[in-house]
Amino acid sequence: MGAFVYMLRCADNSFYVGSATGDDLSPRIDQHNAGAYPGYTFSRRPVVLVWSEYFDRATDAIAAERKIKGWSRAKKEALIRSDWTEVSRLSRRRAGLPKRD
């Protein structure tokens, strides 16, 4: 069974990144909006799905979720826009200098 990685924009304009197994992401988004579980989105409702990707393997989805959670806001916004040039640019070393040998 596969899994989705998804990003929500919360009412306070923050982002939440999560993952869910299955073939339909709608029930999970509904759970967030209903406040079914206490957590990050509970006090930041309503939430809106702004990005998602399906992975055939749940382990790949979990790895992607962990990676995206560590990204800057700017990089997450570039992902939402599917601006791969900007995602790549924001992935470079922060100092902007090549590694020394």
Side-chain angles (χ1 to χ4, degrees):
M1 178 185 298
F4 284 93
V5 176
Y6 61 93
M7 192 176 335
L8 306 175
R9 184 183 314 272
C10 300
D12 65 358
N13 211 32
S14 64
F15 292 123
Y16 172 82
V17 178
S19 60
T21 58
D23 296 327
D24 185 5
L25 192 51
S26 300
R28 183 67 184 116
I29 305 309
D30 292 343
Q31 289 173 337
H32 280 287
N33 276 315
Y37 303 102
Y40 186 83
T41 61
F42 186 85
S43 62
R44 293 171 172 87
R45 294 174 286 160
V47 299
V48 177
L49 178 67
V50 293
W51 175 87
S52 68
E53 185 171 338
Y54 183 80
F55 292 81
D56 289 328
R57 297 182 341 172
T59 54
D60 293 339
I62 292 167
E65 175 191 5
R66 288 181 179 161
K67 182 184 286 188
I68 294 167
K69 280 185 174 186
W71 288 4
S72 68
R73 180 176 183 87
K75 194 169 175 182
K76 289 174 185 172
E77 289 172 340
L79 176 64
I80 293 165
R81 294 190 310 270
S82 297
D83 184 346
W84 304 114
T85 302
E86 186 68 359
V87 169
S88 177
R89 186 187 74 76
L90 292 167
S91 296
R92 294 190 190 122
R93 296 185 69 225
R94 292 178 197 235
L97 302 172
K99 290 183 180 179
R100 292 184 180 208
D101 292 329

